[in-house]
Amino acid sequence: MTRIHHNPSGAGSAVTVRGLVKHYGETKALDGVDLDVREGTVMGVLGPNGAGKTTLVRILSTLLAADGGRATVAGYDVAAQPRQLRRVIGLTGQYASVDEKLPGWENLYLIGRLLDLPRKEARTRADELLERFSLTEAARRPVATYSGGMRRRLDLAASMIGRPNVLFLDEPTTGLDPRTRNEVWTEVKSMVGDGVTVLLTTQYMEEAEQLASELTVVDRGKVIAGGGIEELKARVGGRTLRIRPADPLQLRPLAGWLDELGITGLAATAVDAERGSVLVPVLSDEQLTAVIGAVSARGVTLTSLTTELPSLDEVFLSLTGHLAGSTPNDARPTETREEVAV
């Protein structure tokens, strides 16, 4: 039986936050945070350690009371309607919260019963989720015998028992190997495909690019930027035009000539000798057109011409002044490229 939850606010924003404040003594964990998460999307919340990400999730999931401001989730007021709200949300924290002494199946069944599912539905739901998260063979084993990846998948399954409208994922893949992380990403995408709204906190830039349709960047308890991934990249870094002349001997003369013209971005052109190209910063479509026109007028024969947006790591560093310290070694900065007709 599928449970249909009522959303009093109707379609639109699944999460609305206005002026949220939380103090820990003299420390302002949240300092007037505003946030909107559209229904059926993934909002990625990025920020360095201590930025306030986990505090935000704990308040929105009713585990912590705010000192000021207002928030609604799935149409329910977080402060005034916590009991109703808990029935329509799911939460996966940074560490698995299931009972290690119980088998995986019993963990899920117990949570189903705590959510007032009838016994038959709780059993069926536990079986469904164990199969969905590839845990059926380990269903009767104590969770203490599970690997870290298996525990994380069980934790995600537990958050889905009640078929939540909104799912909070607080750094859900911390400490996981690349293969298991990809499995978790696949499941999150599947949940969103089923209509679930996800608020995801992460320090993994690759994870944000894989899952989030929009990003909010927080630092020292404040929202400092927000928007689509490509929008943020364009906002903080412009674009880089990579020009590959057919003759490698033309690399440095071409770079020097473009600098002399004064039609590029704020930074000087650079030569990437290893890849046989000249890197030209451009801040607008007009600059891009001017550079391409100048190269064409000079009669330089090219093998390729591409534009590259900054990586999300570079965006994060530009906005916060901090590195995303938890980014795994395999989550290297990625380039977004766009072919340009010559």
Side-chain angles (χ1 to χ4, degrees):
M1 179 179 71
T2 300
R3 301 170 72 199
I4 304 298
H5 299 304
H6 173 57
N7 181 349
S9 67
S13 292
V15 178
T16 302
V17 177
R18 293 291 179 269
L20 210 59
V21 174
K22 181 63 181 179
H23 294 170
Y24 294 108
E26 298 297 320
T27 302
K28 289 185 177 180
L30 297 178
D31 189 9
V33 168
D34 293 338
L35 182 70
D36 289 283
V37 184
R38 292 181 294 113
E39 290 182 347
T41 66
V42 179
M43 169 64 78
V45 179
L46 306 180
N49 288 328
K53 304 185 300 296
T54 296
T55 297
L56 175 63
V57 169
R58 288 176 62 82
I59 290 174
L60 294 179
S61 57
T62 76
L63 297 177
L64 188 66
D67 294 325
R70 185 172 183 269
T72 60
V73 177
Y76 294 107
D77 187 284
V78 171
Q81 301 171 292
R83 292 175 62 87
Q84 298 95 316
L85 176 56
R86 289 172 192 145
R87 293 184 175 275
V88 298
I89 62 173
L91 170 65
T92 295
Q94 296 179 26
Y95 307 100
S97 58
V98 291
D99 189 326
E100 294 190 350
K101 296 180 180 179
L102 295 177
W105 187 91
E106 288 188 26
N107 266 283
L108 298 187
Y109 175 77
L110 176 61
I111 293 171
R113 293 293 290 142
L114 289 173
L115 290 173
D116 292 332
L117 295 185
R119 287 186 176 84
K120 182 178 180 181
E121 184 178 355
R123 287 193 294 268
T124 300
R125 188 67 176 144
D127 291 338
E128 290 173 350
L129 288 168
L130 287 167
E131 181 176 359
R132 177 172 180 174
F133 285 88
S134 303
L135 292 170
T136 302
E137 293 184 3
R140 302 296 175 178
R141 283 168 38 198
V143 173
T145 67
Y146 286 17
S147 67
M150 292 170 68
R151 293 186 194 193
R152 175 52 70 200
R153 295 203 303 275
L154 182 64
D155 212 33
L156 278 171
S159 70
M160 295 299 295
I161 282 285
R163 294 186 174 89
N165 290 1
V166 179
L167 180 62
F168 296 106
L169 301 179
D170 188 17
E171 300 190 16
T173 61
T174 297
L176 298 185
D177 61 85
R179 177 176 174 274
T180 305
R181 196 162 58 245
N182 284 327
E183 291 175 352
V184 171
W185 292 348
T186 298
E187 288 304 327
V188 173
K189 291 174 183 177
S190 177
M191 294 172 193
V192 176
D194 291 340
V196 177
T197 302
V198 176
L199 189 147
L200 164 76
T201 76
T202 183
Q203 291 184 344
Y204 295 173
M205 300 301 103
E206 186 183 11
E207 182 162 88
E209 294 216 59
Q210 283 283 333
L211 298 177
S213 51
E214 292 185 78
L215 298 176
T216 294
V217 183
V218 296
D219 193 20
R220 297 180 177 89
K222 293 179 177 290
V223 173
I224 60 173
I229 292 175
E230 302 307 315
E231 176 187 346
L232 288 177
K233 287 181 176 182
R235 170 182 164 185
V236 305
R239 286 170 289 177
T240 298
L241 181 63
R242 183 179 290 274
I243 304 171
R244 290 189 177 90
D247 182 1
L249 296 177
Q250 292 184 318
L251 284 174
R252 297 193 183 282
L254 179 59
W257 177 69
L258 287 172
D259 270 343
E260 290 175 5
L261 289 178
I263 58 175
T264 62
L266 297 176
T269 58
V271 173
D272 184 351
E274 184 177 347
R275 297 173 64 179
S277 56
V278 176
L279 303 178
V280 185
V282 291
L283 298 177
S284 65
D285 290 341
E286 290 75 14
Q287 283 189 343
L288 177 64
T289 301
V291 172
I292 293 174
V295 172
S296 177
R298 190 176 175 89
V300 178
T301 301
L302 305 179
T303 59
S304 68
L305 192 65
T306 61
T307 58
E308 301 172 357
L309 289 172
S311 71
L312 198 54
D313 288 275
E314 293 166 337
V315 171
F316 186 89
L317 178 59
S318 175
L319 289 170
T320 68
H322 308 283
L323 290 172
S326 296
T327 302
N329 292 333
D330 61 301
R332 298 183 179 88
T334 57
E335 295 175 340
T336 302
R337 300 184 180 181
E338 176 185 352
E339 294 291 335
V340 178
V342 180

